[in-house]
Amino acid sequence: MRSAAWHALLPSLVPAKPGIFFLRSRPGRFLSHAHGLRPCGAASSLPPGEYLPPLFSVAPMMDWTDNHYRTLARLISRHAWLYTEMLVAETIVHQKDKLDRFLAFPAEQHPIVLQIGGSNLDNLAKATELASGYAYDEINLNCGCPSGKVAGHGCFGARLMYDPEFVGDAMSAIAANCDVPVSVKCRIGVDDRDSYEELCTFVDKVVSKSPTRHFIIHARKALLSGLSPAENRKVPPLKYEYYYALLRDFPEVHFTLNGGLMTIEQVSASIRQGAHQVMVGRAAYNNPWNMLGHVDSEIYGMPTPCSSRRQILESYQVYGDSIIGQYGISRPNVRQLVKMITWSSGIEGAILCIVFCTLLKFS
Ligand SMILES: Cc1cc2nc3c(=O)[nH]c(=O)nc-3n(C[C@H](O)[C@H](O)[C@H](O)COP(=O)(O)O)c2cc1C
């Protein structure tokens, strides 16, 4: 059975109604060893294999939402859905015996969504088939990345918004090769194709050509020339009104709101305003404790798994010890394991780093 169940459950699920669980569709194939992750703190967990719908998700972010960051994020929030970094279909297809390095993840990271990128139907289909063995909970196609490498030379990412027919075909091919829900992450427009009507045409085409019923809307358009990827996440104005209009005009589709949400209060307010679900990127990475640390209680009405940052760091250290050097000397290395901690903003980041380095046995 397709595990699209949460799409059907969502209308009846609001924060603080934790009785509705989502069953993982089938056993996954994960990293074989246990990684030594241990739960820290209160009994906030659901029975194994059951989890709540994606009211809150952490955005896919290249070089940021890797296995290590996701492990840390999961220690802070049991219920947030976690997206991988974008994996290009060709990268998956051309691996021989190294697929685990790109696709394996510890079982604790469920619920987790794999984001793929590409513009070749055969490779998207093959990559999805290969990824299926890893039991991701949803497969997402990147239609929002504006970088020159991706949308320019690669002709995918945000460039795909120019060709809704193709995205419909791509989503159909992806869906045919997995048995979990599929979704699209896109902008509200691209270049001068930025009217609400053009966004509706995009959604309409993809929905009518494929089983896609979930779109993540980064609520600003992408400019494919003249702006860097970082500027493309700041300069084009946010237009949340496009997102809320989609909720009105496509009642059979689920939409996740993304872009510019900096605090848990803003996330809660968006859900109160009617957003089906919310995705946060930079704030969840730059300030994981202040954002993710409130998700389970404020958004899901569940207990928070950890009571202190020290507890989280101690658990993360156990993970670090178990994974360091797994794929050869310095793969991963200490720098890769701690970069998201040292990145945390301001004085908080500095304190976290000192505590962590004190705890770290392997440095
Ligand atoms: C470092 C970085 C890398 C990103 N990589 C991806 C990616 O691989 N795929 C994608 O769809 N979006 C990517 N994004 C965009 C985010 O998923 C998100 O849409 C964007 O940051 C807006 O959300 P925010 O304002 O909450 O950060 C990236 C963003 C950042 C900051």
Side-chain angles (χ1 to χ4, degrees):
M1 190 191 82
R2 298 189 128 260
S3 57
W6 66 262
H7 292 148
L9 292 176
L10 263 171
S12 58
L13 191 129
V14 291
K17 251 199 200 167
I20 303 164
F21 300 152
F22 174 42
L23 262 174
R24 200 166 74 215
S25 56
R26 65 205 148 87
R29 206 180 110 210
F30 307 112
L31 290 178
S32 50
H33 58 286
H35 280 284
L37 262 190
R38 62 194 147 91
C40 54
S44 61
S45 57
L46 304 171
E50 296 184 6
Y51 37 86
L52 298 171
L55 289 176
F56 182 100
S57 55
V58 177
M61 289 179 282
M62 285 295 287
D63 296 329
W64 286 15
T65 50
D66 56 14
N67 243 319
H68 315 312
Y69 169 79
R70 295 195 309 264
T71 296
L72 181 74
R74 180 57 74 228
L75 287 167
I76 306 175
S77 166
R78 287 277 155 76
H79 304 294
W81 284 53
L82 304 177
Y83 279 63
T84 66
E85 314 166 80
M86 176 180 72
L87 257 181
V88 177
E90 284 70 21
T91 306
I92 300 175
V93 168
H94 295 133
Q95 296 308 314
K96 290 198 173 83
D97 49 357
K98 294 203 190 108
L99 259 188
D100 273 7
R101 225 165 86 191
F102 291 90
L103 289 171
F105 58 89
E108 292 85 353
Q109 284 182 15
H110 282 284
I112 176 170
V113 180
L114 171 68
Q115 185 185 67
I116 56 179
S119 58
N120 176 297
L121 284 183
D122 292 340
N123 287 341
L124 286 169
K126 180 79 183 145
T128 307
E129 190 191 333
L130 289 168
S132 277
Y134 291 83
Y136 283 92
D137 297 302
E138 183 164 316
I139 307 289
N140 175 267
L141 180 67
N142 183 329
C143 296
C145 180
S147 101
K149 263 197 209 153
V150 169
H153 173 68
C155 270
F156 59 99
R159 168 89 47 193
L160 295 181
M161 290 199 76
Y162 274 110
D163 195 349
E165 295 269 351
F166 174 83
V167 177
D169 292 338
M171 293 311 293
S172 191
I174 290 169
N177 283 281
C178 65
D179 60 359
V180 291
V182 294
S183 60
V184 164
K185 180 167 181 282
C186 61
R187 300 287 187 126
I188 54 171
V190 62
D191 298 331
D192 57 359
R193 283 220 189 184
D194 60 355
S195 69
Y196 177 67
E197 288 66 36
E198 283 161 311
L199 178 60
C200 288
T201 304
F202 177 79
V203 171
D204 194 44
K205 273 270 159 7
V206 176
V207 167
S208 61
K209 291 197 89 176
S210 76
T212 310
R213 296 293 178 272
H214 178 206
F215 290 76
I216 295 120
I217 307 291
H218 182 176
R220 51 164 68 86
K221 75 170 177 177
L223 287 165
L224 297 190
S225 51
L227 289 186
S228 69
E231 288 167 331
N232 253 311
R233 293 190 285 267
K234 274 195 286 223
V235 176
L238 286 160
K239 294 189 175 173
Y240 292 143
E241 63 274 21
Y242 279 37
Y243 170 82
Y244 289 102
L246 288 171
L247 302 189
R248 179 197 63 211
D249 294 335
F250 293 89
E252 75 287 9
V253 178
H254 282 99
F255 294 100
T256 294
L257 175 64
N258 170 241
L261 298 167
M262 299 304 294
T263 64
I264 194 73
E265 289 76 21
Q266 289 171 344
V267 171
S268 297
S270 305
I271 292 176
R272 275 199 306 275
Q273 242 180 291
H276 291 154
Q277 44 222 33
V278 169
M279 171 182 275
V280 173
R282 287 161 291 185
Y285 190 89
N286 294 334
N287 216 335
W289 179 254
N290 282 349
M291 177 56 79
L292 295 176
H294 299 283
V295 165
D296 289 7
S297 55
E298 304 270 322
I299 308 300
Y300 286 100
M302 299 288 270
T304 299
C306 281
S307 57
S308 74
R309 279 174 275 197
R310 177 173 283 273
Q311 258 188 338
I312 291 164
L313 290 171
E314 284 171 357
S315 296
Y316 187 69
Q317 180 203 1
V318 174
Y319 164 78
D321 277 335
S322 78
I323 193 95
I324 193 159
Q326 189 191 353
Y327 296 112
I329 294 176
S330 79
R331 270 199 177 148
N333 58 31
V334 174
R335 196 191 61 77
Q336 289 159 341
L337 286 165
V338 303
K339 78 173 180 200
M340 84 295 279
I341 298 170
T342 54
W343 189 258
S344 284
S345 44
I347 186 76
E348 178 182 86
I351 292 167
L352 279 174
C353 190
I354 291 164
V355 172
F356 191 71
C357 289
T358 313
L359 289 169
L360 216 60
K361 289 194 213 110
F362 51 75
S363 57

